[in-house]
């Protein structure tokens, strides 16, 4: 039996809603996108949400809005997808990679503290696998007097905030909770991904959640970013299509980052069933894996819950104790022979050619490398059934035992 890693859940309900959107006479950004934004704001508990064509677009838009540019530094974990760092490079700023916690794979707050300089403008925590970062500690850090005193604002927006901005890469973590607050309202701005492999998908898409403190008016910032995400045009396509309303202005050279109503129609179905159907199923799959694996001393199980937090169960990041990167690769090759798709989250960015050429060195990120070298992400998706879960576990056990034994002979 062949088991994929994370296929999207495409059922008749999704197909019907996409067809409805296509027949509605309005396929690009319009009423469905606006409704999806409203429902996401209600779901995450923030004043406003802006839908975009990807999380990457949202992260870049946030950095551009804050005026991040050449000479600035942005702190982020070495252990993330390239999107988090690439957008910093696009702005001409310097990504400052820091190491992660061994237990939850999230950015280490003490490492952040060590790397703050007068050039630091933004911290981008990544909620790895759906587990929220330690936002109380991160928010306390950026608000500490000694850290605020170091902050050098370059523009009016940075002046108004008066400190380093916390921009959460919440690509994995919609539905995750921290101290009874939902992801979206944990940082100044949070960006969710709706890419095809993510928990809640629109095929491609993203959303920015606004949670800026006073004196900011989150609705006004939302309006400014609607314009910035659509060429700096002061009227969107729907407003322009009204008879006689053809005139518009370009107030800045903006981007082309808008979400379409066809994709929003998928998101609306997904969001409506997310808490009572999608999340419980993902939790069930993760719990099942843990139950089947916990008796094996080589299996280092991921954490999904603690006193402060609960994950969105985006990944099942298993680690195998005391193996090398080569052995891990060998285990994955054996699992692949059984037609089961597993993955590694993530190859740390200092190991990627581009970032290596920029001078980053993986030997500076000991925990990141250790976690990477022993990590195997198991399949987690809505339609994964008990028989398939057992098959994954059996093939995994067999592969680990074969690889580990072969080396010890
Ligand atoms: C998927 C992902 C992104 C990018 O999301 P897109 O919607 O594809 O742009 C960013 N950060 C992390 C950690 C991701 O896994």
């Amino acid at each position: 039996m062949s088991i994929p890693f994370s296929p999207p859940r495409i059922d008749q309900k999704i197909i019907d809603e996409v067809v409805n959107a296509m027949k509605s006479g309005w396929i690009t950004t319009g009423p469905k996108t606006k409704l999806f934004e409203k429902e996401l704001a209600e779901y995450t508990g923030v004043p406003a949400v802006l839908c975009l064509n990807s999380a990457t677009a949202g992260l870049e838009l946030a950095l551009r809005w804050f005026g991040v540019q050449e000479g600035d530094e942005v702190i982020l974990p070495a252990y993330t997808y390239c999107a988090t760092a690439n957008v910093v490079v696009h702005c001409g700023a310097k990504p400052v990679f820091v190491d992660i916690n061994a237990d939850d794979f999230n950015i280490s707050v003490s490492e952040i503290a060590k790397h703050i300089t007068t050039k630091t403008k933004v911290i981008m925590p990544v909620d790895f696998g759906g587990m929220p970062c330690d936002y109380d500690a991160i928010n306390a850090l950026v608000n500490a007097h000694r850290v605020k005193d170091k902050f050098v604002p370059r523009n009016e927006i940075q002046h108004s905030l008066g400190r380093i901005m916390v921009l959460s890469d919440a690509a994995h973590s919609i539905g995750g909770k921290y101290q009874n607050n939902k992801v979206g309202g944990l940082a100044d701005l949070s960006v969710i991904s709706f890419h095809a492999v993510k928990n809640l998908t629109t095929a491609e898409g993203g959303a920015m959640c606004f949670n800026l403190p006073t004196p900011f008016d989150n609705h006004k910032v939302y309006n400014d970013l609607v314009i910035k995400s659509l060429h700096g045009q002061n009227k969107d396509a729907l407003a322009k299509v009204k008879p006689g309303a053809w005139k518009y202005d370009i107030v800045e050279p903006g981007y082309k980052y808008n979400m379409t109503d066809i994709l929003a129609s998928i998101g609306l179905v997904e969001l409506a069933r997310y808490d009572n159907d999608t999340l419980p199923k993902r939790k069930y799959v993760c719990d099942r894996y843990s139950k089947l694996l916990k008796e094996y001393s080589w299996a280092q199980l991921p954490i999904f819950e603690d006193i402060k937090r609960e994950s969105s169960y985006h990944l099942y990041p298993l680690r195998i104790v005391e193996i090398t990167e080569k052995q891990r690769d060998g285990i994955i090759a054996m699992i692949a022979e059984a037609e089961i798709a597993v993955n590694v989250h993530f190859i740390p960015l200092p190991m990627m050619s581009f970032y290596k050429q920029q001078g980053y060195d993986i030997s500076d990120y000991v925990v990141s490398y250790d976690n990477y070298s022993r990590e195997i992400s198991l399949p987690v998706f809505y339609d994964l059934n008990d028989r398939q879960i057992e098959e994954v576990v059996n093939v995994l056990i067999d592969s680990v035992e074969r690889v580990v034994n072969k080396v010890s002979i």
Side-chain angles (χ1 to χ4, degrees), residues 66-100:
F66 202 57
V68 170
Q69 57 175 290
E70 204 179 323
D72 292 338
E73 294 177 352
V74 175
I75 297 178
L76 70 158
Y79 208 81
T80 183
Y81 183 59
C82 63
T84 327
N86 285 356
V87 295
V88 176
V89 176
H90 295 173
C91 293
K94 183 181 169 198
V96 175
F97 295 129
V98 303
D99 213 346
I100 55 169

Side-chain angles (χ1 to χ4, degrees), residues 102-380:
D103 56 359
D104 64 7
F105 296 75
N106 279 340
I107 192 163
S108 155
V109 180
S110 58
E111 284 300 309
I112 295 176
K114 278 187 218 158
H115 288 84
I116 290 173
T117 73
T118 52
K119 292 178 177 173
T120 309
K121 290 291 183 291
V122 179
I123 296 169
M124 294 170 83
V126 178
D127 299 336
F128 179 86
M131 191 69 159
C133 293
D134 192 352
Y135 286 100
D136 279 355
I138 294 168
N139 290 327
L141 180 66
V142 296
N143 281 295
H145 288 300
R146 63 182 155 60
V147 174
K148 271 182 136 173
D149 288 348
K150 266 195 196 167
F151 185 68
V152 184
R154 287 212 207 212
N155 58 36
E156 223 171 288
I157 291 171
Q158 294 178 5
H159 250 290
S160 298
L161 189 63
R163 59 162 169 81
I164 296 168
M165 178 169 76
V166 181
L167 168 60
S168 165
D169 179 339
H172 296 178
S173 59
I174 182 170
K177 286 186 207 121
Y178 183 92
Q179 307 273 44
N180 289 321
N181 290 314
K182 273 191 178 153
V183 162
L186 304 174
D188 296 317
L189 298 173
S190 301
V191 179
I192 297 163
S193 173
F194 306 128
H195 176 268
V197 301
K198 301 298 190 333
N199 275 23
L200 192 165
T201 187
T202 60
E204 294 282 359
M208 193 193 303
C209 303
F210 295 86
N211 185 44
L212 293 160
T214 46
F216 290 98
D217 173 348
N218 284 287
H219 292 103
K220 184 185 175 296
V221 180
Y222 164 89
N223 285 329
D224 292 347
L225 290 192
V226 168
I227 291 169
K228 210 182 201 49
S229 68
L230 198 76
H231 285 307
Q233 195 171 293
N234 66 348
K235 238 182 226 179
D236 66 23
L238 193 60
K240 262 172 61 191
V241 86
K242 302 219 168 79
W246 58 274
K247 239 182 197 172
Y248 63 92
D249 192 17
I250 297 300
V251 297
E252 62 174 314
Y255 300 89
K256 184 64 169 73
Y257 284 165
N258 54 305
M259 176 178 275
T260 74
D261 267 24
I262 293 179
L263 299 191
S265 72
I266 302 176
L268 284 164
V269 175
E270 287 272 86
L271 185 60
R273 64 193 186 190
Y274 191 63
D275 265 5
N276 55 20
D277 194 8
T278 308
L279 276 183
K281 181 65 198 274
R282 299 190 77 94
K283 175 173 165 47
Y284 174 81
V285 170
C286 293
D287 288 349
R288 225 30 233 140
Y289 279 134
S290 290
K291 207 161 175 206
L292 293 169
L293 287 168
K294 73 170 189 291
E295 66 190 88
Y296 294 88
S297 58
W298 48 258
Q300 187 179 347
L301 307 182
I303 45 169
F304 295 98
E305 239 177 305
D306 61 23
I307 41 165
K308 278 190 180 175
R309 308 174 287 171
E310 185 174 4
S311 176
S312 68
Y313 303 91
H314 175 56
L315 298 173
Y316 191 90
L318 179 71
R319 278 167 286 176
I320 315 293
V321 300
E322 287 172 7
I323 56 165
T324 64
E325 180 182 353
K326 237 188 160 143
Q327 285 176 305
R328 187 274 313 278
D329 294 352
I331 295 166
I332 291 181
M334 262 180 216
I335 296 172
E337 273 172 33
E339 296 282 304
I340 293 171
V342 294
N343 242 307
V344 173
H345 293 90
F346 290 105
I347 305 170
L349 295 181
M351 295 177 75
M352 299 295 193
S353 298
F354 173 76
Y355 289 100
K356 263 200 281 195
Q357 285 155 19
Q358 303 295 303
Y360 301 95
D361 184 342
I362 190 61
S363 65
D364 295 329
Y365 307 93
V366 176
V367 182
S368 294
Y369 180 75
D370 178 59
N371 277 2
Y372 154 75
S373 66
R374 301 186 295 106
E375 202 268 355
I376 301 175
S377 298
L378 304 183
V380 181

Side-chain angles (χ1 to χ4, degrees), residues 39-52:
E39 298 201 348
L40 282 165
E42 253 162 53
Y43 180 82
T44 54
V46 297
V49 170
L50 173 62
C51 281
L52 300 157

